[in-house]
Every structure is written in structure tokens, then in C-alpha cells.
Amino acid sequence: MAAPPPPDPQFVLRGTQSAVHALHFCGGAQGQGHPLLLSGSLSGLVHIWSLQTRRAVATLDGHEGQCVTWLQTLPQGHQLLSQGRDLKLCLWDLGEGRNAVVDSVRLESIGFCRGSVLARGHQHWTLAVPGRGSDEVQILEMPSKTSVCTLKPEADAKPGMPMCLELWQTGDRPHQGMATSLRPVERRQEDMQHPAVVVANSSPRPLLLAGYEDGSVALWDVSERKVCSRIACHTEPVMALDFDSQKARGVSGSAEKALAVWSLDEQQALQALRTQELTNPGIADVKIRPDRKILATAGWDHRIRVFHWWTMKPLAVLAFHSATVHCVAFATDGLLAAGSRDQRISVWSLYPRT
């Protein structure tokens, strides 16, 4: 039997009035239960969308008309980070109806590399952003803005600029991170060919995955300020990556016609697993759904592509947008959102979580 045609969006959000470059889902405020969708636009505005009314409930203007490239809420839920091309990262207080910038961090690089956050409890968090040198990554302890270190590639490595960053840590709880003992780990049969990393030391250690301009992906030990491993994934700059820390497996996309899938072994060495060929070149974003069942890509060819995360079997090609899709995001309930240069945000319900 022929495969059924891909579905239409569940709904479409309009009103950004410029290209959408960043998306992020967060829980509803004050226990309302309905998730909110945050979008960052080329015009420098952040829109907060109610998925119940499908309208913007607030608009944040903190980036002086410069493109918003990254959005992330902090564990408290009412604090939002927004990164813009104005060399500024803003911390917003969204609690109890407030929409105010309460702090900001001056950035050293004007590139499109998005930051990354690692929560260290409710009051402290680690921030990774592009550094002053073109090939550097700066690590800050927040909210004090204390500089932890600057990660600079070894002298003989010339990876170029960092293009995407992903902070994580060993010693996370099992559903969030890597196994933390030497006892056997129960796994489903489909997982056996990609075993989870097992580490002897359960003390948390911050690690950073960085995708670079030369197409490589590197794993940094932040505490040791050294590269644990580096792998050549692409021949073009790495535009986006995501990492499944529970199964120690990641995926990256570039300007090429391919996705790269890679893993991390017990010695913290990156290993190439497979290459997934694509119809057209150019991946702007890639996200693994929180339940680690599927992943979605944002394509330069105006398409959203959905794959099974373990087999990389193509599941759907969503052809709704009329221009480059810049970003995708998953909600915890499985909803998928995509933002495009056509100034629209499409929201999809695909393969519901069970």
C-alpha cells in the first residue's frame, strides 16, 4: 500500500512580520498548564504565543532591531534568555505578567552561533557562548557572569569558528544523561547496537559538544579545558547539532546533502555511525524529540524532514513553507514547531507520544 500523504499543520501562527530564526517551547505560567511557544525574529522581537488562543500574548523588544538567534528558558520557568545579533544576551523576568530585562551579557562574537545552558541547580547555571577569538568558546558561571574559562583549540587544529554548541554533563539522572555506574544497563533490543556510555565516576563533569566551521564536531572537557575527541563529520560548516545524552548519540547537519550520526564511547571518543543522505543541501536546525523517538530538521529547501531517531528511516517530508526553514522545536508533549523566512510558524502533531 502507498504511504499516506503527510499531514497539514495543526495550525499556523502569523504576525511576526519578519523571518523567524528561533523557537522554544516552555510550560504555561502559574500552573495554567498550557504550554507557550516563544519565537525570535529577524526584526529583533521575541513573541510569546499562547497555543490555546493561537495568538501572541506578549512581545519583547530587547535587541535593538537585530536578529534574535536563540531562546532558552531557565529551570525556574519564569526566566528567559534571548541572544541577538546586537552582541547581547538578555535575561528576562516573565513572572507574574512581567516582561522586563533584568540582566544582560555582552557577547564577543557577532556570528550566528547560538549559546547553550547547563543548569546547576535552580539558582546557578553555566553558559557557553562564542568567545572573543574567532575559534574560541567562552564559559561563564551565571548569574554572576564569572568567567570559568575560554576553550581555545589546540595549536595544530584549525577548526575555524564554532557554529553550534551543546552543554551537558556526566552524572545526570538516568533519564537526562549518561549511566553513572559500572552495573549493566537495561536496554531494549533496538538499543543494543548503540549502547549507552557507562562511566565509573558519578560526580558531574560539564562537557561541551561544539560544531565548527571546518565540518568537525569536538567534545570538550570544560573542567580540564581540553578536547577529549574530535571527528570530521562534514565537508561544510556544521550548522546545527543535537545530542541524546542518555544513549550517547548525536546528529549534526551542514550545508551538505547529508546528516551525520555519531556516538560517544566509554573513553569519550566520538565515533562516526552513519551518514543519512538528503534530497537537497542545507540543514539550518536539527532537534531530537524529548522522548528520543524521532528527530526533525529545518531545511534550506523550505522542507521539514522527520526521521526515526534509531534507524534514521525517513518518516515524513512536510512541505508547507515557501522559504527557508530556519528553526524547529519540540514541546514535551511532542508538538513540533517550525519557523521560516516566510514569516510563518507551523505547528504539527506527528506520531503522538505514547
Side-chain angles (χ1 to χ4, degrees):
M1 294 178 61
D8 293 326
Q10 187 169 354
F11 55 88
V12 180
L13 303 175
R14 297 175 172 86
T16 62
Q17 300 180 346
S18 67
V20 180
H21 279 262
L23 289 171
H24 178 66
F25 282 99
C26 68
Q30 285 78 50
Q32 293 173 355
H34 300 288
L36 301 171
L37 177 61
L38 311 174
S39 68
S41 67
L42 181 65
S43 63
L45 300 179
V46 176
H47 290 87
I48 302 177
W49 302 88
S50 164
L51 300 185
Q52 186 179 27
T53 65
R54 303 176 187 179
R55 296 181 180 275
V57 296
T59 302
L60 314 179
D61 186 0
H63 289 284
E64 302 176 6
Q66 298 294 306
C67 181
V68 177
T69 58
W70 178 58
L71 296 167
Q72 178 68 49
T73 48
L74 296 176
Q76 298 95 314
H78 62 84
Q79 288 188 309
L80 167 69
L81 285 172
S82 66
Q83 179 182 344
R85 294 267 289 173
D86 57 345
L87 290 176
K88 190 165 64 173
L89 191 144
C90 294
L91 176 63
W92 301 82
D93 179 7
L94 306 181
E96 298 178 351
R98 295 185 294 272
N99 297 315
V101 176
V102 294
D103 205 352
S104 64
V105 176
R106 293 297 300 176
L107 303 178
E108 303 286 354
S109 171
I110 200 171
F112 275 100
C113 181
R114 299 164 178 166
S116 182
V117 165
L118 176 64
R120 311 292 291 274
H122 282 286
Q123 301 300 324
H124 300 281
W125 33 286
T126 302
L127 173 68
V129 292
R132 178 174 299 176
S134 63
D135 60 354
E136 295 176 355
V137 177
Q138 186 178 16
I139 306 295
L140 300 173
E141 195 66 34
M142 300 294 289
S144 67
K145 307 182 195 176
T146 304
S147 178
V148 175
C149 63
T150 298
L151 304 179
K152 184 175 175 60
E154 52 274 25
D156 58 340
K158 300 187 183 301
M161 294 186 296
M163 304 294 291
C164 44
L165 306 171
E166 182 76 20
L167 273 170
W168 58 289
Q169 70 181 7
T170 62
D172 281 341
R173 287 175 293 172
H175 72 280
Q176 291 178 327
M178 297 158 58
T180 57
S181 75
L182 291 177
R183 66 182 183 276
V185 181
E186 285 190 29
R187 297 192 295 277
R188 295 169 299 167
Q189 186 65 35
E190 65 178 311
D191 299 341
M192 291 304 182
Q193 58 180 328
H194 305 300
V197 169
V198 183
V199 292
N201 185 1
S202 63
S203 60
R205 289 170 51 236
L207 300 167
L208 174 74
L209 284 160
Y212 286 93
E213 191 177 8
D214 70 348
S216 68
V217 172
L219 175 70
W220 287 87
D221 185 317
V222 174
S223 301
E224 300 288 336
R225 306 181 190 184
K226 69 176 183 180
V227 173
C228 302
S229 177
R230 185 187 300 275
I231 186 172
C233 294
H234 305 275
T235 59
E236 298 284 346
V238 182
M239 305 303 295
L241 64 80
D242 201 3
F243 185 63
D244 176 352
S245 60
Q246 182 168 340
K247 302 302 181 185
R249 199 170 101 138
V251 59
S252 54
S254 72
E256 297 173 309
K257 294 169 60 174
L259 293 170
V261 182
W262 31 270
S263 65
L264 196 60
D265 68 14
E266 291 87 343
Q267 285 74 45
Q268 294 187 338
L270 292 164
Q271 307 282 345
L273 287 182
R274 63 175 296 167
T275 298
Q276 178 66 41
E277 298 296 328
L278 302 173
T279 306
N280 299 309
I283 294 296
D285 199 10
V286 58
K287 288 290 191 304
I288 302 167
R289 198 165 73 175
D291 65 358
R292 301 177 306 281
K293 296 292 180 63
I294 63 175
L295 68 92
T297 64
W300 295 0
D301 64 354
H302 315 170
R303 302 294 190 262
I304 306 152
R305 286 181 163 77
V306 182
F307 299 86
H308 187 280
W309 173 217
W310 286 111
T311 65
M312 291 303 292
K313 175 185 177 181
L315 298 177
V317 179
L318 307 178
F320 169 77
H321 292 282
S322 59
T324 297
V325 182
H326 288 304
C327 49
V328 286
F330 281 109
T332 53
D333 65 2
L335 275 183
L336 168 66
S340 169
R341 195 178 68 186
D342 66 11
Q343 306 182 18
R344 296 182 292 177
I345 300 168
S346 57
V347 180
W348 309 76
S349 180
L350 301 170
Y351 309 102
R353 297 184 59 173
T354 56

